[in-house]
Amino acid sequence: MRIDVVSIFPEYLSALDLSLIGKARQQGLLELTVTDLREFTTDRHRTVDDTPYGGGAGMVMKPEPWAAALGAVLGGGPAAGPGAAGERPVLVVPSPAGEVFTQATARDLALRKHLVFACGRYEGIDERVVDWSREHFEVRPMSLGDYVLNGGEVAVLAMVEAIGRLVPGVVGNPDSLVEESHADGLLEYPVYTKPALWRDRPVPEVLLSGHHGRIARWRRDRQLQRTAARRPDLVGSLDPTGLDRADRAVLAEAGWVVSGGRVVRAGDGAAGEPVA
Ligand code: ADE
């Protein structure tokens, strides 16, 4: 996979030299290039921003350096640009005004050949850059969540890590991708390691039993309980056809029932189907 990041703070992205993503780059699984937007300015001060039309606080990123930088990214390398494999590169524009980036987004983007990340700063990038880019890229404004960062760089670090680890070969043991949080719409179960007794706290006995069936059930129960407690929004999105009787019993204890083909809160006008 080819990844380009355009930023006025290229050093910010140096964390991508480390750990699993750094290793994947060395192995050639990820071909990641960071481009300094200021190299595409034409004035002595290397200006990338200006005051907003219509007034208001802050500064807006100018269109010309962005168009030049994105044009260079499109022109660079055999895999770049439309036509190489009939697939347009994806332009991810991190922004609190974007669609929320989820594990499903990461899975989707991990299948693409070429991702370009445009790190905005200040109040954002002139909207015409986004419109123009649609002629050359599949444009995806993306938010990490409902809070405001100072720029796109931190969001890109998070997104590249989430996407990159799903590229085949990047994570050594692919089983670890199957059992983690959000893989199946649930949060992951709690984990323990040695010693079996630590500061008077024993590891749950079932995990020492060697009984794979009981362990799997215990873990699934913890996933369901934890998700109901911490992320009720995820419980409401579960597909009831994927829930067995034991799952439904755990959910019922947490106040959820299956009704009308959906998982809903007990008492929300839902009769509920029997759980046992
Ligand atoms: N830039 C500023 N805030 C952001 C957020 N929440 N997500 C992605 N990019 C951002």
Side-chain angles (χ1 to χ4, degrees):
M1 170 187 276
R2 182 176 164 202
I3 299 177
D4 282 279
V5 184
V6 184
S7 164
I8 58 167
F9 294 120
E11 318 82 56
Y12 227 119
L13 284 308
S14 57
L16 297 174
D17 294 335
L18 305 174
S19 188
L20 278 184
I21 299 297
K23 210 167 116 201
R25 291 173 73 184
Q26 282 169 12
Q27 292 170 335
L29 294 168
L30 300 176
E31 193 195 318
L32 193 147
T33 308
V34 180
T35 296
D36 185 350
L37 181 70
R38 288 197 200 274
E39 286 179 10
F40 296 88
T41 54
T42 49
D43 64 315
R44 207 158 52 90
H45 301 290
R46 310 182 88 200
T47 311
V48 292
D49 61 333
D50 209 332
T51 52
Y53 277 120
M59 300 291 270
V60 175
M61 294 192 103
K62 291 163 66 60
E64 302 94 331
W66 273 110
L70 294 175
V73 162
L74 279 173
E87 181 185 298
R88 284 189 304 171
V90 179
L91 179 65
V92 177
V93 186
S95 159
E99 103 191 55
V100 176
F101 181 88
T102 65
Q103 189 65 15
T105 322
R107 276 195 289 264
D108 173 22
L109 294 179
L111 300 172
R112 308 303 292 259
K113 287 197 170 53
H114 186 190
L115 307 179
V116 182
F117 291 87
C119 300
R121 283 262 149 187
Y122 318 115
E123 298 305 310
I125 305 172
D126 187 306
E127 190 65 19
R128 291 168 296 179
V129 175
V130 179
D131 293 340
W132 166 82
S133 296
R134 290 188 213 284
E135 293 169 20
H136 306 278
F137 298 90
E138 181 183 322
V139 180
R140 306 275 298 265
M142 282 283 161
S143 172
L144 276 199
D146 293 339
Y147 43 83
V148 179
L149 304 168
N150 284 335
E153 286 78 5
V154 165
V156 169
L157 290 175
M159 290 191 272
V160 168
E161 182 155 315
I163 296 163
R165 62 196 294 283
L166 300 179
V167 170
V170 172
V171 169
N173 179 0
D175 284 351
S176 51
L177 302 178
V178 176
E179 295 191 2
E180 63 194 8
S181 285
H182 303 294
D184 54 3
L186 295 172
L187 303 184
E188 70 187 345
Y189 50 77
V191 294
Y192 302 85
T193 187
K194 291 177 260 314
L197 184 67
W198 178 76
R199 298 194 179 180
D200 296 332
R201 290 165 170 82
V203 166
E205 176 274 327
V206 62
L207 299 179
L208 309 177
S209 70
H211 192 297
H212 298 305
R214 279 182 54 213
I215 292 171
R217 186 66 250 169
W218 182 88
R219 286 179 165 166
R220 176 88 177 163
D221 291 351
R222 299 289 86 69
Q223 282 193 278
L224 290 159
Q225 283 174 345
R226 191 179 250 194
T227 308
R230 298 180 186 174
R231 293 292 304 275
D233 57 313
L234 295 181
V235 177
S237 302
L238 287 174
D239 174 4
T241 62
L243 301 173
D244 64 19
R245 287 165 70 91
D247 292 340
R248 290 172 192 228
V250 174
L251 287 175
E253 257 179 57
W256 294 84
V257 292
V258 173
S259 175
R262 295 172 50 86
V263 183
V264 295
R265 281 195 192 275
D268 271 2
E273 290 157 27
V275 292

